[in-house]
Amino acid sequence: MAMTNNKTQCFTCHKNKITYPCKGCSKEFCLNHLTEHQQILNDELNLIINEYNEFKQRINEQKQNTQNDLLIEQIDQWERDSIEIIQQTAQECRKFVAKSSETFIHDIEKKFNDLCEQIKQIHAENEFNETNLIYLKNQLTKMKEELNNPSNMSIQQDSQTLINDISIILSKKSKFNQWKQNAITVAGGNGQGQKLDQLNGPEGIFIDKKKSIFIADTYNHRIVEWKHNAKEGQIIAGGNKQGNRMNQLSQPTDVIVDQQNHLIIIADQGNRRVIQWVNQNQQILIDNIDCFGLIMDTHGFLYVSDYKKNEVRRWKMGEYDSEGIVVAGGNEKGNQLNQLNCPSYIFVDEDQSIYVSDVKNNRVMKWRKDAKVGTIVAGGNGQGRNLNQLSYPHGVVVDDLGEIYVADFGNDRIVRWCEGKKEGEIVVGGNGERNQLNLPSGISSDDEGNLYAVDYFNHQVQKFEIIL
């Protein structure tokens, strides 16, 4: 009977020998090379131990000297400068008080000497009566009160600080959110079409607190609602073919929803109107406007972008019969800081600052409340794919940290910009695979921080789950 061959190839010498497995790397070694492998591991462990010991020494050094010499020197200099300013001011006040007191005593002394002369004269002439005595007594009383209570001098402390304030600021490293790169299709995704499980060139999006998704299904001329985890949507506005009747829409581009009041406001772009639907009853709020994006702020103001007049206007709720107020652009088409060129989606923060996707200028502009000019907060370096560029930006949202998220339409990606930075960073997409995002349009997020993007040319809405 032949002996069983229990030999396998050693990972190091590649010879068939009796081998022993290493549980750490799952490789097989002969006895000699197992020992050698163990020695290598020991050497690596010693290196790690040395690094740990060096780091521990650094910690101990920091414990002995926790002060930053440069910062401490700046604080010391501030202290010296502040003390010098205080001492100079105090000395000037002392001199002024001394001089004023000297003048004050001199004046009282002069009055006193004058009265003494009057008394001597009265006494010498021996001509006086009760009136003279009352006068002399009153004058003496007044001088006593004036000497005891000098009313012409007091200390006044200005509320303005005498010295420059100083404080220590600890830099906060913001925890920027990240999202899974593999998207979940939450609406559409069944090809281009007009069935209830399909979309056709969708653009704007709105997410409510129940995670229901409201979509401007542009080329189906309707607004559809996809409830959370639904397999198909339901038509809540339009859907009666393209037209300009009250129950019809024409290429709607954006939508906002107030579910509590069953109120839907739509940018009915093809009909050049902003229309409101309440329980299937329609009302035109604003007419003759080339609307594209719209948003409602927390104060009840409605903002609408006009891509032909190159402006954003604001209306107070219920006062839509007015012309509204221009709050961004409105200075003809151009690329100056007071101009826009085809504004699309807009976002308004709690301070009523307006963020506008300035499509043909390939930038996002921020207009502070009542500002006459805007500032570039994303892009603005020509059309391109570099991190400091955008290509026909569309949807824009701003988070609580002030981070600006832009649907970089022509670059098939969502990018995040920190205001004041020279370039943005890619959040999702932008890897050349257009099956992930193909011309992203509107974007939004839910209460959990999940990111939603309208995938225009794939006729679907993609959800990117946040990584906690």
Side-chain angles (χ1 to χ4, degrees):
M1 183 175 176
M3 183 179 296
T4 303
N5 184 5
N6 60 350
K7 297 181 179 180
T8 55
Q9 190 181 70
C10 172
F11 178 78
T12 302
C13 63
H14 304 296
K15 294 180 180 179
N16 287 329
K17 293 185 176 183
I18 296 175
T19 57
Y20 305 88
C22 172
K23 291 184 178 180
C25 63
S26 301
K27 295 182 175 66
E28 300 277 343
F29 298 92
C30 65
L31 185 58
N32 290 337
H33 289 113
L34 179 66
T35 304
E36 181 182 299
H37 180 63
Q38 187 63 46
Q39 185 58 46
I40 291 172
L41 295 180
N42 286 334
D43 292 342
E44 289 181 2
L45 176 61
N46 288 331
L47 286 173
I48 294 172
I49 291 173
N50 288 336
E51 289 183 13
Y52 268 75
N53 289 335
E54 289 175 3
F55 188 72
K56 182 178 180 181
Q57 185 176 352
R58 286 184 61 192
I59 292 175
N60 290 333
E61 289 173 357
Q62 290 290 334
K63 286 169 68 176
Q64 296 299 320
N65 181 22
T66 58
Q67 297 177 333
N68 185 302
D69 293 339
L70 180 60
L71 290 177
I72 294 300
E73 174 56 31
Q74 289 177 353
I75 294 170
D76 291 344
Q77 186 62 47
W78 171 84
E79 182 182 27
R80 289 191 292 270
D81 293 344
S82 299
I83 290 172
E84 184 178 346
I85 292 171
I86 292 170
Q87 288 176 335
Q88 283 179 349
T89 305
Q91 186 61 25
E92 289 171 1
C93 289
R94 289 190 195 100
K95 287 181 180 178
F96 184 81
V97 168
K99 187 175 180 179
S100 298
S101 297
E102 185 180 344
T103 303
F104 172 71
I105 295 296
H106 180 267
D107 291 342
I108 290 180
E109 189 176 26
K110 186 175 181 302
K111 291 178 184 177
F112 177 75
N113 290 335
D114 290 343
L115 281 173
C116 285
E117 288 297 324
Q118 293 180 41
I119 293 172
K120 287 180 182 178
Q121 185 177 356
I122 290 172
H123 191 266
E125 294 176 352
N126 199 25
E127 288 186 1
F128 57 92
N129 55 30
E130 288 85 357
T131 302
N132 299 117
L133 296 177
I134 292 171
Y135 169 77
L136 291 174
K137 286 182 180 180
N138 287 341
Q139 289 301 310
L140 182 60
T141 300
K142 285 182 179 179
M143 284 189 291
K144 286 180 179 179
E145 290 177 353
E146 193 173 350
L147 184 64
N148 293 330
N149 302 293
S151 58
N152 66 333
M153 196 184 308
S154 62
I155 298 295
Q156 177 181 330
Q157 296 188 38
D158 199 336
S159 59
Q160 209 170 13
T161 55
L162 177 65
I163 59 174
N164 293 327
D165 288 335
I166 188 173
S167 60
I168 305 299
I169 300 173
L170 296 176
S171 299
K172 292 183 179 179
K173 294 184 179 179
S174 299
K175 181 187 175 184
F176 294 136
N177 293 332
Q178 293 182 317
W179 290 268
K180 295 178 182 178
Q181 296 300 299
N182 295 323
I184 300 170
T185 301
V186 291
N190 297 298
Q192 180 181 8
Q194 59 183 358
K195 295 179 181 178
L196 291 178
D197 64 347
Q198 294 179 309
L199 298 170
N200 186 2
E203 299 206 59
I205 185 176
F206 182 93
I207 313 290
D208 73 4
K209 293 182 179 180
K210 296 180 180 179
K211 297 183 185 177
S212 291
I213 307 166
F214 298 84
I215 307 161
D217 192 6
T218 304
Y219 292 99
N220 280 328
H221 315 291
R222 64 191 186 187
I223 306 297
V224 291
E225 176 188 2
W226 288 61
K227 294 188 182 297
H228 185 50
N229 293 330
K231 300 300 181 184
E232 62 180 32
Q234 62 183 85
I235 301 169
I236 59 171
N240 299 303
K241 297 183 180 180
Q242 183 178 12
N244 60 5
R245 297 198 309 269
M246 291 297 288
N247 68 340
Q248 292 179 308
L249 298 173
S250 178
Q251 298 177 14
T253 51
D254 207 1
V255 58
I256 53 179
V257 180
D258 180 351
Q259 273 200 317
Q260 184 175 353
N261 297 310
H262 305 285
L263 182 150
I264 306 162
I265 300 176
I266 304 161
D268 192 9
Q269 180 256 151
N271 285 321
R272 301 185 65 246
R273 66 189 184 187
V274 175
I275 189 168
Q276 174 180 282
W277 288 54
V278 181
N279 294 324
Q280 294 300 315
N281 295 314
Q282 302 86 30
Q283 176 188 357
I284 296 174
L285 301 182
I286 306 165
D287 209 353
N288 299 315
I289 180 171
D290 292 293
C291 52
F292 195 98
L294 45 79
I295 193 168
M296 185 85 73
D297 71 14
T298 55
H299 302 280
F301 288 97
L302 177 67
Y303 300 74
V304 185
S305 64
D306 188 321
Y307 66 91
K308 285 191 178 179
K309 287 186 177 178
N310 299 293
E311 65 185 20
V312 177
R313 285 184 181 264
R314 183 184 73 193
W315 282 264
K316 189 173 183 179
M317 185 180 291
E319 297 182 2
Y320 301 114
D321 53 344
S322 69
E323 293 184 356
I325 300 171
V326 176
V327 291
N331 297 295
E332 300 184 344
K333 178 172 67 177
N335 60 6
Q336 301 301 310
L337 293 180
N338 67 340
Q339 295 178 309
L340 298 170
N341 188 356
C342 193
S344 61
Y345 293 99
I346 48 182
F347 181 89
V348 180
D349 65 16
E350 291 182 353
D351 298 325
Q352 292 183 300
S353 292
I354 305 146
Y355 298 79
V356 188
S357 282
D358 193 8
V359 177
K360 292 187 179 179
N361 282 327
N362 298 292
R363 66 190 186 185
V364 175
M365 300 290 292
K366 177 181 179 179
W367 292 63
R368 297 187 184 277
K369 184 180 179 182
D370 300 327
K372 300 301 180 185
V373 296
T375 56
I376 301 170
V377 293
N381 297 296
Q383 183 181 7
R385 295 187 63 84
N386 295 327
L387 290 179
N388 69 338
Q389 295 177 306
L390 297 171
S391 178
Y392 299 127
H394 275 50
V396 56
V397 294
V398 182
D399 67 14
D400 294 337
L401 295 174
E403 306 299 317
I404 304 155
Y405 296 80
V406 186
D408 195 3
F409 188 78
N411 286 326
D412 308 308
R413 65 191 185 186
I414 308 298
V415 290
R416 172 171 55 204
W417 287 68
C418 302
E419 187 173 345
K421 295 291 185 181
K422 299 294 184 183
E423 60 182 34
E425 60 176 323
I426 299 171
V427 173
V428 292
N431 55 12
E433 297 180 13
R434 305 195 93 179
N435 62 335
Q436 185 180 27
L437 283 177
N438 194 348
L439 304 180
S441 186
I443 55 174
S444 187
S445 62
D446 61 27
D447 289 343
E448 294 178 1
N450 300 308
L451 189 63
Y452 297 76
V454 178
D455 195 4
Y456 173 83
F457 210 67
N458 284 327
H459 313 289
Q460 60 189 8
V461 176
Q462 298 282 62
K463 174 183 176 181
F464 296 90
E465 292 185 321
I466 192 168
I467 300 173
L468 299 176

